[in-house]
Amino acid sequence: MPRYLGIDSSTQSCSAIVIDTDRSEVVLDLSVHYGEELPHYDSPNGYLYPEDSVAQHSNPLMWVEGLELLFARGREAGFDWSSVAGVACSGQQHGSVYLNAGYTEATWDPAVPLVDQVRPLLSRATSPIWMDSSTTKQCEEIAEAAGGGERVAAVTGSRPTERFTGPQIRKFFQEDPEGYQQTARIHLVSSFVAFLLAGRDAPIDYGDGAGMNLLDLAQGRWSDVMLEATAPGLGDKLPAVVPSNTRLGRIAPFFVRRYGVNESAEVVVSSGDNPNSLIGMGASHPGTAVVSLGTSDTYFAAMTRMQVDPAGYGHVFGNPAGGFMSLICFKNGSLTREEMAKRFQMSWEDFSAAIRQTPPGNNGNLMLPYLFPEITPRVLKPELKLYGSGAFRSWHDSAAAVRAVVEAQALSMRLHSQWIAERPQTLLVTGGASQNDGILQVFADVFQAALRRLSVTNSAALGAALRAANACSGIDWDALYAEFAAPEPGTIQPDPDTAAVYDRMLVELQRRLAEVA
Ligand code: XUL
């Protein structure tokens, strides 16, 4: 039975993809939007507090109900769940779920909705998620106790970071010591879903575990120093940490009885959405980097040897295919590009044309493109700052302004990914803006790398399905990528004549950033 299920429990929705490895086909692709389909959780976008709140939580029961709904939807659509041989999950990174000691006794009763069986097991009603940045104090305390931010980065792959699970756990321990005391198990969103599927305790993998500021990434085990710096008795509350291809055994009988899943279907350990996406985009080998041009822009790539960003912006996670991966997040992505298009009333065709009309290097015009506070590099007072000709600086040169925003974004991405030893020969691009040829040519020239577009849309769920196939049947990554994650035909080649221009511009950008960041 060569069918494998990947489930992604993400911020706004959860989704399921089933791949058939014999037919090289995706045979099921569905999703449940929390805000629309589970309105009783009062979370139109999947979280509970207003968008601009520093604290951000979700109701973990919404994730449980969403998961069951996926199985129900599949059955309603006539999908035969008994054809699935293995399942793996992906979860939004960093979010955490808190269970009391009752979790050890949990055996899901097929006659009762899962959500009603999980409710009494929660020791904390809500789950902090990756959008929460309320733990600056805890990050400072952890850094202090563990020998400084750089030391923490050297061990865990990231400096203490507000949204990461360790600082969030510390905050819970400080604000609700009794709740912390009653917590017997702390899961990540991803391992929580594996716990639901397996119906018994589930470990955390190196991919998602690295997003906690708790894992000794090089050693592949929880770091005693980090556990101690975070909260008392934390080691006992965390599941085991294991490689990303670990099989956890059969799916819980609950899913067999209620939805007709095959009783011998195996559950594979979960991972985070970014590590899963690395797989779903076929990018787990060093030399290929993924550039995702979305609401935020992200850059991620496999790395063979663990290295950390000396500037402290980038993160290192476990690569599910072995080794490590980098992840760098730039907050000023599409919304900042859109601001330019709006300001000059341009369509995306006009936007592309503006880039074509202007030369690489933009006649010396340069922009610092910070419409919003930026995390890479840290810019707290956002501003669109212009340097260059008078017409450009007074916003009278629309074509130059458009090129400037894209060049600055691409150059900043190159600059802030330089700490990764492997230079990419190929960039795989995805996300809304990857449809724009003008934008892509700038990225190819700035990086002096060939660009290929990816057509995969739900890379996290697909990556989970590919991980299930790899772990359960041993099909190797290259064979899976060729069938399910091949980039679109055609390559955008860099123009070698632009290399020197962008080398110079990179130095100029760095100089300007030093003035504001
Ligand atoms: C990564 C991060 C986000 C979430 C989104 O560090 O915070 O990409 O994983 O789900």
Side-chain angles (χ1 to χ4, degrees):
M1 246 183 333
R3 285 185 169 183
Y4 300 93
L5 165 63
I7 292 175
D8 178 39
S9 179
S10 81
T11 314
Q12 307 206 22
S13 60
C14 60
S15 50
I17 280 184
V18 177
I19 57 168
D20 185 314
T21 50
D22 264 5
R23 286 166 41 196
S24 300
E25 252 177 39
V26 170
V27 292
L28 185 74
D29 186 349
L30 39 90
S31 68
V32 168
H33 189 273
Y34 298 133
E36 283 160 22
E37 298 178 65
L38 300 171
H40 46 287
Y41 288 101
D42 266 335
S43 306
N45 294 309
Y47 41 81
L48 288 161
Y49 310 145
E51 186 110 11
D52 57 359
S53 166
V54 196
Q56 197 50 269
H57 287 214
S58 292
N59 188 333
L61 295 175
M62 178 181 76
W63 300 330
V64 180
E65 215 172 317
L67 177 74
E68 260 218 85
L69 211 47
L70 280 178
F71 282 94
R73 284 285 152 72
R75 198 184 44 190
E76 281 156 27
F79 184 72
D80 175 11
W81 285 114
S82 76
S83 63
V84 168
V87 49
C89 300
S90 158
Q92 52 173 307
Q93 291 205 253
H94 319 300
S96 42
V97 183
Y98 298 73
L99 303 177
N100 58 38
Y103 87 90
T104 53
E105 311 280 309
T107 46
W108 311 137
D109 177 351
V112 180
L114 202 49
V115 68
D116 295 328
Q117 303 186 63
V118 175
R119 191 175 292 109
L121 302 181
L122 294 179
S123 59
R124 188 181 191 182
T126 61
S127 292
I129 62 164
W130 64 280
M131 294 168 75
D132 189 300
S133 54
S134 66
T135 63
T136 305
K137 170 178 164 279
Q138 288 76 18
C139 287
E140 286 165 6
E141 290 165 354
I142 289 171
E144 164 94 25
E150 278 174 36
R151 183 83 211 105
V152 174
V155 174
T156 72
S158 303
R159 292 188 187 202
T161 304
E162 278 82 351
R163 65 187 189 283
F164 278 38
T165 326
Q168 293 290 343
I169 293 172
R170 179 166 179 81
K171 187 176 172 211
F172 179 51
F173 154 68
Q174 289 176 336
E175 292 184 351
D176 182 4
E178 212 169 295
Y180 180 75
Q181 183 70 35
Q182 277 159 19
T183 299
R185 184 56 91 228
I186 301 176
H187 273 296
L188 290 176
V189 178
S190 69
S191 62
F192 174 61
V193 180
F195 159 69
L196 300 175
L197 287 172
R200 61 187 170 277
D201 197 23
I204 286 176
D205 86 313
Y206 299 149
D208 215 7
M212 301 174 81
N213 280 144
L214 291 173
L215 182 66
D216 182 329
L217 201 45
Q219 301 293 326
R221 54 178 163 75
W222 300 124
S223 153
D224 291 336
V225 173
M226 294 311 304
L227 292 174
E228 222 162 281
T230 301
L234 180 54
D236 295 337
K237 299 183 198 288
L238 294 178
V241 61
V242 299
S244 314
N245 60 354
T246 306
R247 287 146 64 165
L248 311 182
R250 292 181 170 195
I251 196 160
F254 175 89
F255 295 93
V256 178
R257 307 256 171 74
R258 225 166 140 96
Y259 300 104
V261 179
N262 195 295
E263 63 174 1
S264 57
E266 283 200 82
V267 181
V268 173
V269 69
S270 300
S271 192
D273 53 1
N274 292 298
N276 275 297
S277 284
L278 188 79
I279 300 291
M281 292 177 171
S284 63
H285 303 310
T288 301
V290 174
V291 171
S292 170
L293 301 173
T295 312
S296 320
D297 290 345
T298 50
Y299 176 101
F300 56 84
M303 38 160 90
T304 346
R305 197 168 50 79
M306 182 172 159
Q307 331 139 50
V308 291
D309 179 1
Y313 302 125
H315 304 295
V316 183
F317 300 141
N319 173 347
F324 307 93
M325 68 176 282
S326 57
L327 177 108
I328 314 168
C329 189
F330 304 83
K331 219 167 179 182
N332 284 269
S334 283
L335 296 179
T336 309
R337 289 184 285 272
E338 278 161 23
E339 166 65 21
M340 279 310 106
K342 240 193 303 170
R343 197 174 278 224
F344 298 112
Q345 298 180 338
M346 287 184 185
S347 65
W348 288 116
E349 286 76 38
D350 300 337
F351 196 92
S352 233
I355 293 175
R356 274 197 308 275
Q357 282 158 22
T358 42
N362 212 6
N363 297 315
N365 295 320
L366 178 80
M367 180 189 291
L368 293 189
Y370 302 118
L371 190 60
F372 307 102
E374 181 55 75
I375 51 176
T376 311
R378 195 180 268 261
V379 176
L380 298 173
K381 289 200 190 110
E383 195 183 347
L384 298 172
K385 252 182 157 233
L386 308 182
Y387 306 90
S389 72
F392 176 66
R393 281 187 285 118
S394 57
W395 292 104
H396 284 103
D397 189 343
S398 57
V402 163
R403 175 173 274 278
V405 76
V406 178
E407 282 187 339
Q409 289 178 329
L411 283 163
S412 174
M413 198 175 265
R414 178 174 149 191
L415 181 67
H416 292 103
S417 60
Q418 268 173 348
W419 57 275
I420 305 163
E422 289 98 355
R423 302 304 316 148
Q425 291 99 45
T426 310
L427 292 181
L428 297 174
V429 273
T430 179
S434 68
Q435 294 314 312
N436 191 302
D437 288 345
I439 294 178
L440 295 202
Q441 189 61 55
V442 173
F443 274 79
D445 290 342
V446 164
F447 278 87
Q448 287 293 301
L451 243 69
R452 301 200 65 185
R453 265 194 203 101
L454 278 171
S455 44
V456 169
T457 46
N458 193 349
S459 56
L462 177 65
L466 298 181
R467 286 199 309 107
N470 172 266
C472 296
S473 74
I475 309 178
D476 71 39
W477 297 117
D478 287 333
L480 290 167
Y481 295 162
E483 299 302 339
F484 295 101
E488 288 176 18
T491 308
I492 296 168
Q493 291 295 340
D495 174 358
D497 291 344
T498 63
V501 175
Y502 284 125
D503 285 349
R504 280 197 300 275
M505 228 177 159
L506 194 76
V507 176
E508 178 64 8
L509 178 82
Q510 201 164 9
R511 192 169 75 81
R512 293 298 184 187
L513 281 176
E515 293 167 5
V516 299

